[in-house]
Amino acid sequence: MLVAAAVCPCPPLLVPDVAQGAAPELDDARVGCTDAIAVLAASRPDLLVVVGPDPQAAEPARYPAGTPGDFRGFGVDLDVRLGAAEPDTGAAVPEGRTLPASLAVGAWLLARDDWGDAPVEGLAVPERLAPERCAGAGRELAGRAPRVALLVMGDGSACRTVKAPGYLDERAAGFDEEAFRALGAADASALAALDADLAHELKAAGRAPWQVLAGAAEGAGLEGRLLYEDAPYGVGYGVAVWA
């Protein structure tokens, strides 16, 4: 059963070594992420699953504890591992397999905040995974252990300004407003109803992971709180907790 969730943005710029001179622009987001992960730790889960988008994936993919990741693709010689320093003996990491960027950012957040001792796994979902499949994946995660927590990585629209990665789209602000309202209110029904085609047009990479969360939260009776919301690079970033 899902007992807690933290929702965090997943740009590699969240990692100061990647952001370098632009690092202060996301300081408030980092503080929000620290507070959100503290909620996960306080929930004392039996299992923590980091969920994030993978634009290269065709199907959802699981990553066991110990899976390595890095930020060399962003010009930084920085390595991370998912959860435990070494993979569990029962879930060995296939040689050469590495975390997608969103899960690498999640792994970095967990390592930075020394979040706890529960087993950690990863689930990468295709950015265009159908809403009903997202919900099904979430329900399956919620049933993995008596007490499950999720760290859900994902960004809002990337079309908030003319300098945004997707340029300016007048629909972007409204999409983000509804998405972050739902995240802050733990409104699983509203998250499940987000338009997948519109999210794709607005380059909202968080849509699929958020709908995985919506599926996992069915019947859990969680309450939400929005800790941070902004669009410093023309991309909607939000931090929320459900507990």
Side-chain angles (χ1 to χ4, degrees):
M1 179 178 179
L2 186 70
V3 296
V7 178
C8 295
C10 62
L13 289 174
L14 201 62
V15 180
D17 288 352
V18 175
Q20 297 185 8
E25 296 181 27
L26 287 177
D27 278 348
D28 289 345
R30 295 184 190 98
V31 171
C33 290
T34 294
D35 293 343
I37 289 172
V39 171
L40 295 183
S43 73
R44 299 188 177 183
D46 301 311
L47 173 67
L48 171 67
V49 183
V50 185
V51 182
D54 183 356
Q56 307 303 319
E59 291 291 329
R62 288 183 177 175
Y63 292 81
T67 304
D70 62 66
F71 296 95
R72 290 184 179 83
F74 304 95
V76 176
D77 187 12
L78 176 63
D79 295 310
V80 294
R81 280 190 180 273
L82 183 63
E86 297 296 335
D88 295 336
T89 55
V93 179
E95 186 175 354
R97 191 179 188 193
T98 60
L99 298 171
S102 65
L103 298 190
V105 174
W108 176 82
L109 285 173
L110 293 175
R112 181 192 68 157
D113 294 322
D114 191 22
W115 89 279
D117 299 323
V120 180
E121 297 179 5
L123 177 68
V125 293
E127 290 187 359
R128 300 218 67 181
L129 192 67
E132 59 272 16
R133 292 196 62 194
C134 293
R139 287 190 289 268
E140 192 275 335
L141 290 179
R144 293 282 309 284
R147 298 179 63 81
V148 176
L150 300 183
L151 173 55
V152 182
M153 311 298 297
D155 303 337
S157 66
C159 302
R160 293 280 292 272
T161 68
V162 294
K163 294 184 178 180
Y167 196 65
L168 176 65
D169 190 310
E170 299 293 344
R171 303 169 296 174
F175 177 91
D176 284 350
E177 181 180 0
E178 173 56 17
F180 292 135
R181 184 209 64 77
L183 289 168
D187 188 340
S189 295
L191 284 181
L194 291 176
D195 188 315
D197 291 331
L198 177 60
H200 176 68
E201 292 171 12
L202 297 176
K203 303 184 185 301
R207 190 276 308 172
W210 297 338
Q211 290 184 328
V212 171
L213 169 60
E218 290 178 5
L222 303 182
E223 296 183 353
R225 184 159 50 103
L226 190 64
L227 304 182
Y228 168 86
E229 179 188 357
D230 203 355
Y233 304 111
V235 181
Y237 298 142
V239 179
V241 291
W242 293 22

